[in-house]
Amino acid sequence: MLYRHLLALVVAGALFAATFTAAGPLHIATWNVEHLNEDNNAGCIPRNDDDYAYIAQRIRELNAEVVAIQEVESAEAAYRVFPEDQWTVIMSDRPNNRGAKGGNICWGTQDKRLRHQATGFAIRKGVAFTRLDAYSHLAGGDANQRWGADLKVHHDGKDIRVLSVHLASGCWGPEQDQTPNRANICITLRGQIERMVEWIQARNSANEHFVILGDFNRRLALPNDWAAERLLDQRLETTLVTADLRDGKPQEAWCDERYPDLIDHIIISNPLSESVLKSKTKEYERGRESPDHCIIATMIE
């Protein structure tokens, strides 16, 4: 009896350790890892073992607890750079519409084929979370648009809804808004922004803290941007954490000098924004040519 009682305590302790989050800020980040695939030499960005090792090294250096990821073929692809003994990966379950041999020809190539792209999260072992249904409504019924990956992180007595997004590409700012051949993609993006507003309204109605982060494919920090005005409407009680990320910083300090305006962002609910450590909100240098996006991160107390 004593042995069974001690064994039960050990098992309970192990389960507790597996879900216990140490006190301190929650380090959360987003990274579009640009066509991260399961296999070497596959898809639009054919990578080798060295390329995967480089991405894994960047992740180790980041040392975050929760990383929103975009342009990832599958959980198997993500585990190539997030070791399974250290991370739990969850991906949106949008159906793979690319087929076994991939989809359309990659832009600027003759023979490379686009593989499946999904949003998801890598959660460090020891961080307590609950996986939720993917936000499929974000795609608006379009099989070519990504779903949002949704989860609830349990941190320091708070439950925080976290949504990883990758919105339609091609309507980045005012120039595209006024370009006739961009009209359809801008309409698609407007629909996605409205469905994100719906998600925010649902969180507010449920009195939930939330963070939305990922590749918005929109320069939200530009003045008078229509997408920013919708997502940051004061009635939604939201804050764009990345709004002033480059203020006062020289161009050489940006993650990529070629792109003056970010399209990767973090939006947070106002009650939770009081817990954001602004000094820890940053963009990381891009490093190699690929991935073509930079890591954006913040910390929440």
Side-chain angles (χ1 to χ4, degrees), residues 32 70 76 108 123 130 133 167 220 231-232 252 257 262 285 290 297:
N32 180 330
Q70 300 88 42
E76 289 76 12
I123 307 100
T130 301
D133 291 338
L167 304 186
L220 297 181
L231 293 170
L232 304 174
E252 55 268 22
E257 297 179 26
L262 294 171
E285 68 173 297
S290 179

Side-chain angles (χ1 to χ4, degrees), residues 7-25:
L7 180 61
L9 288 175
V10 169
V11 171
L15 291 172
F16 179 78
T19 58
F20 175 73
T21 304

Side-chain angles (χ1 to χ4, degrees), residues 5 12 29 43 51 70 75-76 102-104 125 134 150 186 210 217 242-243 258-259 265 283 290 292:
H5 179 67
D51 297 319
Q70 300 88 42
E76 289 76 12
N104 298 331
K125 300 285 188 181
D150 196 353
C186 287
F210 62 84
N217 268 313
T242 49
R258 297 173 296 177
Y259 303 108
H265 299 285
E283 55 178 327
S290 179
D292 59 348

